Amino acid sequence: MIHIKDLRASIEGKEILKGLNLDIKPGEVHAIMGPNGAGKSTLGYVLSGRDGYEVEGGSVEFKGQDLLDMEVEDRAQAGLFLAFQYPVEIPGVSNMEFMKESVNAIRLARGEEALSATDFLKKAKAACQQVDLPLAFLKRGVNEGFSGGEKKRNEIMQMILLEPSLCILDESDSGLDVDALQVVANGVNSQRDGKRSFIVVTHYQRLLDYIEPDYVHILADGKIVKSGDASLAKEVEKTGYAWLGAKAEEADA
Amino acid sequence: MSEQIEQAISRKYDAGFVSEIESDTFAAGLDESVIERISAMKNEPEWMLEWRLKAYRAWLKMEEPEWAHVDYPKMDYQAISYYSAPKSMKDKPQSLDEVDPELLRTYEKLGIPLHEQEMLAGVAVDAVFDSVSVVTTFRAKLEEAGVIFCPISEAIQKYPDLVKKYIGSVVPRGDNYFAALNSAVFTDGSFVYIPKGTRCPMELSTYFRINELNTGQFERTLIVAEEGSYVSYLEGCTAPQRDENQLHAAVVELVAMDNAEIKYSTVQNWYPGDENGKGGIYNFVTKRGIAETNAKISWTQVETGSAITWKYPSCILKGDNSVGEFYSVALTRGRQQADTGTKMIHMGKNTRSTIISKGISAGNSSNAYRGLVRMGPNADGARNFTECDSLLIGDTCAAHTFPYIESRNPSAIVEHEATTSKVSDDQLFLCRQRGLNPEKAVSMIVNGFCKEVFKELPMEFAVEAGKLLEISLEGSVG
């Protein structure tokens, strides 16, 4: 699905990713954990092509294409989805309008026909129900006046509708209570079909109780310093990230 | 500011073509003899000519206003031609079959087919080309309902008593510099009369087109809604792309008698000039309505064109319980300048007014809202609510708000809210991450910003207005 090789990236001249390597095959779920400031969110932004994130070196191949050479919308159309940590509001543009344009832009790029209003509505209703959002949210402005938890669920709703190949979840668990966490996790799990891949970025192990990863990577100071299976997350939960200090310096040397 | 937004707002003007039509055009210049000739071309009665000449003499003594937040070189009023009409219109074609096909093609290209069977059902159109009305559709159907919808030049001859009674009754001859000029030299425009208790069976619409070089367009529209009647009227405007500035100085007067309602919508897309500010229409317009007891006047405007806009559609809320509304979207880009807003003059008791103004500035443009809310001494219990929102795209444009509030009645309530926001990189990134290209993203964000105003437009035109914004924002992204 995606091969990330020695990826280096900076923001405003400050290097954040310092040679990151990651290989994800179709159907795999990779969790990225790490302390604050390790570069977890940066990874999501760099992969999705956000302005202001300068790639300094390395390569990323996504479904056989050179990802770093593509525009933001082309990456999205190719099947890369980012669930935002802090989804922004777009006042006056209804969720429904927004998602219909979005779904159809992506369908057209895939060579499929645009959905009719009725077909789209059917899908949108189903997606809403899946993440336990009242249908009224389809008519409200994108994220306008949504609570933190509603915004997160709205992101998952969008993910379900867009049927991407690679989903990057950027701290989709932050600020959620246990019930909401379960709803988000169920939404994600429902999309695991053996082909779709996930990068689950999280600070806490908690989310991984609900979304079981195939691999867990610890990101510290812009590099993956340790990889393992789901048990690595449990280890982190017990010991915290303090032990990483020495490890990161070792890796730098 | 991200490059994508810059590209997304670069200009493209779809209506900029010139029609090859032979015209009778007056030589440039203005004096009393020019006004006499205009009046003669229109076969006007003596009183009309007198009225024009009085306006002209008043105009000569007036000074061009300079208080607006716009900047342009002094205009030479002797360099403008004050009358231009397609030659083929001289013989007054009796039906569409007799109208020059090139004229009809012009309107078709603009998306305004004039054959009734091809038109939007339920919309009657008066098409004004330079100084004359080309055709007015669905007249027979409107006559059945007793509604008069015709060029004002025709109304002056056919319904002189009505015109004489109401012309200048809302915007007097000497009201302001541009209104006085218009009163002296107006050439065509629409006249609408809705009889007592009648709900106009269809939307009425006038489409103004400036084609000829170096001419001004001075149209005059008069709408009279008798007691308990209702009418919804829409005007649209375009002009060819030219390097010279052209003047459009219109006057619109609305009279809403007791319990009547007039809804007046404008989609203004005059040529805005190029990215360096060369060319474009100077749109200096006076629009005002007077509302009697329980009457309602609602102005909705979508202003995307013109090099300079100077326009304040206003309501005089004379009768008790009368209602005035102003919903506006003004988009400026490139070097465009707009100074636009409204005046709500509350005279009667319990009069109410609502002002929703959405200004969008991009490029190097300047966009100002200027509005006056005046509560008169007799306006007991009157209320106004004003909301002024500005949206900035990029960091080289400007938005200004000049609200004036005058209250002479302690029981009156005036509310004013204002916000300024930007199309943020975060919003743009979210849209693009969901697969939308930057142009689509910006136009969607801008459309969302304007939603409160668009919902006031007649349904057929709300879609048009949305598309117009999209075209205005469309870039030439290679």
Side-chain angles (χ1 to χ4, degrees), chain A residues 48 50-51 71-73 76-77 80-82 84 88-89 91-93 97-98 101-102 105 155 158, chain B residues 2-4 424-427 429-438 440 444-445 447-449 451:
Chain A
S48 51
R50 183 168 199 158
D51 280 349
E71 293 289 342
V72 180
E73 58 272 25
Q77 289 170 2
L80 185 143
F81 179 91
L82 174 68
F84 288 80
V88 67
E89 298 188 2
V93 177
E97 244 178 291
F98 178 62
E101 292 291 346
S102 171
E155 293 292 293
Q158 296 178 17
Chain B
S2 55
E3 204 182 308
Q4 288 82 10
S424 71
D425 287 346
D426 285 351
Q427 288 172 327
F429 178 60
L430 168 63
C431 293
R432 295 182 69 198
Q433 211 301 305
R434 297 300 183 254
L436 304 174
N437 65 41
K440 182 76 209 169
M444 187 182 257
I445 294 165
N447 265 293
F449 175 74
K451 184 167 268 177

